[in-house]
């Protein structure tokens, strides 16, 4: 497990470095003095520390050689790729259909993909979650969501 741990550690360090430098372009905040770059940089710093620890443990020979084998041909990978494709289709349908219908369809798709069999519950949860998210973001926080069919 030494080589994969070293590779993963350097990949995580590269990602953290990228995030750190990209957040340098964020505007400063004059009120709180933290600014919008604070939290991403905090996460990048934490990721850097953990990545360095992973590399250090691998180089010291203390990497765990036991771990679950990843099966690329298994059903889990297929479902993950189908979920990713579904997210892409959802993104394409969002402007035309609107947030509410597209989100209900997307949540139904994901739950069926996860092999949930109680279709009444799947439909109810999809509607309830979409309604709750719409209420919070559109009504409470006043964030513009694509209305699509609801605007017509």
């Amino acid at each position: 497990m030494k080589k994969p741990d070293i590779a993963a550690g350097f990949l995580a360090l590269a990602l953290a470095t990228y995030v750190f430098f990209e957040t340098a372009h964020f505007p400063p905040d004059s009120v709180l003095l933290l600014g919008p770059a604070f939290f991403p940089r905090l996460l990048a710093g934490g990721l850097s520390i953990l990545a360095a620890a992973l590399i250090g443990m691998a180089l010291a020979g203390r990497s765990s050689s036991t771990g679950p084998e990843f099966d690329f041909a298994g059903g889990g990978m297929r479902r993950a790729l189908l979920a990713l494709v579904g997210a892409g289709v959802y993104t394409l349908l969002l402007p035309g259909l609107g947030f509410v219908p597209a989100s209900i369809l997307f949540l139904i798709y994901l739950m069926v993909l996860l092999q949930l069999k109680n279709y009444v519950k799947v439909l109810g949860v999809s509607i309830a979650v979409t309604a709750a998210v719409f209420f919070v973001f559109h009504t409470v926080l006043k964030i513009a969501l694509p209305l699509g069919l609801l605007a017509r």
Side-chain angles (χ1 to χ4, degrees):
M1 233 20 201
K2 183 177 181 176
K3 286 182 183 176
D5 283 350
I6 293 172
F10 278 112
L11 186 64
L13 274 176
L15 176 64
T17 303
Y18 172 76
V19 168
F20 191 83
F21 283 111
E22 278 299 311
T23 56
H25 305 296
F26 287 8
D29 186 6
S30 60
V31 177
L32 295 176
L33 302 178
L34 294 177
F38 174 74
F39 192 66
R41 284 190 166 186
L42 182 68
L43 291 177
L47 181 61
S48 297
I49 291 169
L50 293 174
L54 181 63
I55 294 168
M57 288 178 65
L59 292 175
R62 295 190 334 214
S63 287
S64 172
S65 61
T66 60
E69 290 294 320
F70 192 75
D71 182 18
F72 283 101
M77 178 57 80
R78 191 179 123 267
R79 282 195 305 271
L81 290 174
L82 286 173
L84 184 63
V85 168
V89 171
Y90 170 70
T91 304
L92 293 174
L93 292 177
L94 201 55
L97 283 180
F99 177 79
V100 173
S103 296
I104 291 172
L105 291 173
F106 181 57
L107 289 174
I108 290 170
Y109 172 75
L110 288 179
M111 287 189 247
V112 168
L113 194 62
L114 291 171
Q115 300 172 344
L116 298 175
K117 301 293 183 204
N118 187 343
Y119 297 117
V120 173
K121 191 181 286 186
V122 165
L123 181 63
V125 168
S126 297
I127 292 171
V129 167
T130 301
V133 170
F134 185 81
F135 174 75
V136 169
F137 283 91
H138 186 263
T139 308
V140 175
L141 298 175
K142 306 283 189 228
I143 294 175
L145 295 173
L147 296 177
L149 297 175
L150 294 178
R152 295 179 188 153

